[in-house]
Amino acid sequence: GELMAGFYEGLASGLPMDESLRRTQVRLIHSAKERGGGLGHPWYWAGFKLMGDGRLPLTVMPLARVPLTNARQ
């Protein structure tokens, strides 16, 4: 959903993992306040945790370049 999409968009733009997750969570909170509910409540995203050093940047390949294995032909 929105959390993972925002998280990976942040990574693709060069943000470290911890900052990308934080910004996405804050964006969800603010958008929920504007819309009157929704995914802004921590119930929906508090279970997502980073493992390891979240300050490190992560290289994300565009989806079009990811080789598909076991693809049906």
Side-chain angles (χ1 to χ4, degrees):
E2 288 182 57
L3 178 73
M4 289 292 102
F7 175 67
Y8 282 105
E9 286 173 12
L11 293 179
S13 71
L15 290 174
M17 291 182 285
D18 60 348
E19 184 63 17
S20 180
L21 182 59
R22 187 193 71 78
R23 287 186 186 189
T24 302
Q25 291 169 332
V26 169
R27 188 174 339 124
L28 288 173
I29 291 168
H30 290 297
S31 68
K33 288 179 180 178
E34 292 171 3
R35 292 184 286 182
L39 299 175
H41 194 283
W43 168 265
Y44 297 103
W45 47 259
F48 290 91
K49 297 189 282 184
L50 295 176
M51 303 298 284
D53 189 351
R55 295 170 294 173
L56 297 175
L58 180 69
T59 303
V60 178
M61 291 175 42
L63 186 57
R65 294 185 188 173
V66 176
L68 298 177
T69 58
N70 300 327
R72 295 182 188 185
Q73 297 182 12

